[in-house]
Amino acid sequence: MPYSQIVGAGHYVPENVVTNYDLEKLMDTSDAWIRERTGIHERRFFTPGKDTVTSMAREASLKAIERAGLQPTDIEFIVFATITSDYYFPGCGVLLQRELNLPGIGALDIKNQCSGFIYALSVADQFIKAGTYKNILVVGSEIQSTFLDLSDKGRGVAVIFGDGAGAVVLQATQNPEHRILSTHLHADGRFAEELAVRDPGGSRPGRWLTHEMIDDGGTDVVMNGQNVFKHAVVRFPEVIKEALDANGFTTADVDLLIPHQANLRITKYVGEQLGLPEEKVVSNIQKYGNTTAASIPIAMSEAWENGRIQPGQLVCLAAFGSGFTWASALIRW
Ligand code: COA
């Protein structure tokens, strides 16, 4: 049976840097408040007319493919995680397939919020282990700045999120030494409305999107920040331990944890809970904010570029987010 190995990673972030000081000019907030509560210093917002969710994904994907030593034509399937697709439908998978000029190959969209990338990686891993494909592109890309209410009313949410894209190439290998060891996916839909955008929706009386929905705030991001925090600090350590237990490891065996960049306080708490020193936990939320499905592949691509990921290391990915959903992946790099 083939295993799957990550053979290339790439990322793209828009050039437009938005600092906490820039946000101070738009809403009643402060650099000190944002840093203390979230660890974020700045984030990137897309440039209209230049960046789209798909174009950012294309840039990240081309880098990942090049670093894998492959050509775009080697890619046999695309799994695209996003909650901010360029169109309501079709999803970004087919748009990326078009931009990479790969007519005919399958393209699957995954809408699992901050856990989206690990869900996407898990799906790709199953296809490779089943022998269906040899090279799969797994992508996370988000433009969230247009979802944010950059006024006092939206400040509790707006300061957290940013835009960006990351991608990896997953390849079939017969070598058990370098591979994804396991993935673990969870959800609890009882908390669906704790972090959500309710509208537009197919089940509405009349039209699926109305001016009233917008006026009533239905298209705004609603977040119960404290409840999200409370669950995140339980689910992150739980799903990381699940991955370690499943493979007979302990936290002492972990070389690098790449968590979804939700909030620096959450990441630090999780690191402490697991007894992982700071140098074993990747944090780049300071620069990019929370980029949802893109955060893990961006962090992975940067960590790889910076030499923090080395062959043979035990690398753990973990995520928690809206749904609630949470997930982990354990990789022998
Ligand atoms: N700037 C300044 N003040 C703000 C603010 C902002 N951007 N946003 C909220 N406040 C105010 C609130 O109005 C409140 O004021 P009050 O005490 O006068 O009522 C005060 O700050 C505390 O608000 P609260 O929501 O209790 O803050 P908190 O300590 O829970 O921090 C979060 C808010 C959002 C940073 C925190 O709950 C969090 O990080 N939650 C997890 C969110 C997350 O990770 N989401 C993504 C999941 S993948």
Side-chain angles (χ1 to χ4, degrees), residues 257-325:
L257 173 65
I258 307 178
H260 163 57
Q261 306 290 302
N263 178 315
L264 193 60
R265 278 196 301 159
I266 294 177
T267 299
K268 283 195 166 155
Y269 182 87
V270 171
E272 279 162 25
Q273 286 285 304
L274 297 173
L276 289 173
E278 258 182 42
E279 63 272 16
K280 287 193 173 182
V281 183
V282 175
S283 290
N284 65 0
I285 192 169
Q286 300 89 335
K287 294 189 292 180
Y288 304 132
N290 178 340
T291 56
T292 300
S295 94
I296 289 179
I298 292 174
M300 192 192 296
S301 169
E302 277 198 344
W304 210 352
E305 269 177 16
N306 299 337
R308 283 184 83 181
I309 304 181
Q310 294 295 330
Q313 284 184 336
L314 192 65
V315 177
C316 187
L317 314 181
F320 175 86
S322 156
F324 291 146
T325 58

Side-chain angles (χ1 to χ4, degrees), residues 27-30 33-34 37-38 114 155-157 159-161 195 223-226 228-229 260 262-263 265-266 290 320-322:
M27 63 186 81
D28 180 15
T29 191
S30 68
W33 192 97
I34 301 170
R37 308 282 173 130
T38 70
C114 297
R155 68 178 182 170
V157 170
V159 300
I160 295 175
F161 294 98
L195 176 48
M223 180 174 78
N224 180 347
Q226 289 185 3
V228 171
F229 197 104
H260 163 57
N263 178 315
R265 278 196 301 159
I266 294 177
N290 178 340
F320 175 86
S322 156

